[in-house]
Amino acid sequence: MSAKLKHVTRGELARAGLLSICAFWSLCAPALAQKDAPKGLDKTAVMGILRSGTIPPDQAKPFEEYFTKSFLPQFATSAPNPTDKLYRLRAQLRAFQVMGRSGKAHDEVNKLTLAKMREIVLKSQDNAAKVNAMYVIAELNENDEPGKIKPLAENFNLLWGVAQSKARDELKVPALVGVERFAATNSIPANKKDAVSKFLLDLVNQSTPPGTRTASGHDWMRRLAGQILVKLGSPASNDAALKAFQAIAADVKVRPTLRCEMLQLTGQLKYAPASKADLKAVANSIGYDAISICNQEIEQAKSANRNPSIRLIMYALYNAREGLNALQASAAETPHKKAVADAFNKVKSIHAELDDPDLVEERLATEVGQKLKDLQAVLGPPIAPKEEVATTDPKGSPEASVKQ
């Protein structure tokens, strides 16, 4: 043993050993503590929790923080590329919801998402982010089980409130899209259906755009309102939706594309099976309005010394075909079954015959003109509206006709 070690006492050795142990623990303890503490979750871990349907107690806080601190805050700004960024975020959110389908984890995502989207709509200065947040709210579902999907019930009042408010059109449109989802699943509260129907009918009948809304934007919103009325069944409005659709389709001053779309909506209305609905007259109006749209385009093309638009003519025939096809279901057990079927079959054949890539545009007016005469022969003379007109009913129950 060296001279230096001879003078080291056992106590000094013990103290040196204790200091070494303390130094070791001072280095290792933080690492061990970090290992024992809950870690933040990544997307894969979140997907796993959603797949299981339940949130383990020790993962509840990390699960919440993933959404509140990592994922959802990204929705608050549309920079740097609004279209790409917001689309990708909504697609990822949809992936989370579909993975969860239903259960505690799915519901927690809904709760956290709704809270953040409300915040963005109310407080954000980023218009693109606000609009995107409204679409997210409109798309939230109570569950995402295949075949059982229904919009999140608590969202209706928010969507309906924005739709009828003085909010900017950019926010009203996604709100109406959300209302349409509620109508399609018969989820609109019973005590709100009459008010919703009246509001939408007023919008359909509003021919002049309000404020700074463009004509094309206003037509888009009128069409959307009509689609919701069809899904809603027009409660408490009797035949008002039918008359509104027919009036627009027959008005030569209305943009042709909106006239076309009203042809389809007219046939899609829910006509009460046991009512005395004159569905032959409805089919007749669809056919003659399609003829009017096509002839108007041919005449305007002639005046402008150009070829008629085959796209517009085909669009008119397509919407008439789809409207008549839908009308066949309502006419199945009525005396008007054959008349509606004949009109549908004729429009369908004309649409198919004109869908010919070899058709020379210079011959289009002549070809269409002859085919429209053939359709007119099948329809018979125009049928004037009767004093009594059919009612529409959302549930198919009989309703009395009403006088115009």
Side-chain angles (χ1 to χ4, degrees):
M1 183 177 292
S2 68
K4 291 184 179 180
L5 286 179
K6 287 181 181 179
H7 298 287
V8 178
T9 65
R10 291 182 180 179
E12 289 174 329
L13 287 173
R15 284 195 298 273
L18 180 59
L19 289 173
S20 299
I21 292 172
C22 290
F24 172 80
W25 277 106
S26 68
L27 293 173
C28 296
L32 294 175
Q34 186 177 7
K35 182 178 180 181
D36 293 337
K39 291 183 178 180
L41 301 179
D42 59 14
K43 183 171 71 174
T44 302
V46 168
M47 281 290 201
I49 292 174
L50 286 165
R51 188 185 300 111
S52 71
T54 60
I55 307 174
D58 64 331
Q59 296 296 313
K61 187 171 181 59
F63 184 84
E64 177 184 346
E65 290 182 343
Y66 175 84
F67 286 96
T68 59
K69 295 183 178 181
S70 176
F71 179 64
L72 293 174
Q74 298 177 74
F75 284 79
T77 174
S78 60
N81 186 333
T83 301
D84 182 64
K85 178 184 178 181
L86 297 178
Y87 172 80
R88 289 177 181 276
L89 285 172
R90 281 168 60 197
Q92 180 57 63
L93 177 60
R94 188 76 193 120
F96 285 140
Q97 293 164 329
V98 171
M99 180 62 72
R101 294 194 176 187
S102 61
K104 183 178 179 180
H106 178 275
D107 294 346
E108 181 70 4
V109 173
N110 272 351
K111 184 187 79 172
L112 299 173
T113 300
L114 181 56
K116 187 61 180 181
M117 296 308 118
R118 282 176 178 269
E119 176 188 312
I120 293 171
V121 170
L122 293 174
K123 299 180 180 180
S124 177
Q125 299 300 312
D126 187 324
N127 285 332
K130 287 165 72 80
V131 172
N132 186 65
M134 280 300 304
Y135 273 110
V136 171
I137 293 171
E139 294 166 356
L140 289 177
N141 297 319
E142 287 189 7
N143 71 71
D144 285 281
E145 296 285 354
K148 300 179 182 179
I149 295 176
K150 291 184 69 174
L152 190 61
E154 63 188 278
N155 284 352
F156 178 77
N157 287 335
L158 172 61
L159 295 167
W160 171 230
V162 173
Q164 60 179 330
S165 72
K166 295 182 180 180
R168 296 168 63 93
D169 286 345
E170 298 98 304
L171 295 179
K172 286 186 176 183
V173 169
L176 285 171
V177 169
V179 172
E180 182 180 21
R181 295 189 67 236
F182 276 84
T185 55
N186 194 28
S187 302
I188 293 180
N191 63 346
K192 296 288 180 66
K193 285 186 176 181
D194 286 347
V196 173
S197 180
K198 181 182 183 306
F199 171 81
L200 296 170
L201 190 60
D202 288 345
L203 178 53
V204 169
N205 284 321
Q206 188 177 21
S207 58
T208 304
T212 58
R213 185 182 300 166
T214 64
S216 59
H218 188 54
D219 284 350
W220 194 92
M221 293 182 72
R222 293 173 78 190
R223 179 180 71 246
L224 179 56
Q227 292 171 346
I228 302 173
L229 282 172
V230 166
K231 293 179 173 67
L232 190 62
S234 306
S237 64
N238 297 316
D239 64 323
L242 170 62
K243 290 192 291 186
F245 294 168
Q246 289 180 320
I248 295 170
D251 190 348
V252 296
K253 296 179 182 179
V254 172
R255 291 165 66 95
T257 51
L258 183 60
R259 293 181 68 192
C260 291
E261 286 142 7
M262 291 299 138
L263 301 178
Q264 183 170 170
L265 294 179
T266 297
Q268 291 175 340
L269 280 168
K270 298 173 177 64
Y271 298 90
S275 70
K276 296 179 180 180
D278 189 350
L279 298 186
K280 179 179 179 180
V282 176
N284 184 277
S285 74
I286 292 174
Y288 269 98
D289 287 334
I291 291 171
S292 171
I293 295 168
C294 293
N295 280 333
Q296 182 183 32
E297 170 58 19
I298 291 171
E299 289 301 316
Q300 289 181 347
K302 184 177 179 181
S303 298
N305 194 28
R306 61 173 175 81
N307 293 320
S309 169
I310 183 63
R311 294 183 66 181
L312 178 58
I313 289 172
M314 292 295 283
Y315 194 53
L317 293 170
Y318 165 79
N319 279 278
R321 185 194 73 186
E322 293 302 294
L324 290 167
N325 188 37
L327 193 63
Q328 287 190 106
S330 298
E333 304 300 327
T334 73
H336 311 297
K337 178 180 178 180
K338 184 178 185 305
V340 175
D342 288 346
F344 165 71
N345 289 328
K346 190 60 182 176
V347 171
K348 180 182 177 182
S349 67
I350 292 174
H351 184 267
E353 290 163 8
L354 291 176
D355 190 16
D356 181 1
D358 296 327
L359 180 63
V360 180
E361 285 190 340
E362 287 75 7
R363 290 176 42 221
L364 182 61
T366 302
E367 289 283 339
V368 173
Q370 182 55 55
K371 293 184 186 305
L372 293 180
K373 290 179 181 178
D374 295 342
L375 173 58
Q376 201 166 341
V378 172
L379 295 173
I383 300 176
K386 296 181 180 180
E387 183 181 3
E388 298 286 322
V389 295
T391 63
T392 59
D393 174 64
K395 298 180 181 178
S397 59
E399 287 186 4
S401 296
V402 293
K403 292 187 177 182
Q404 294 186 20

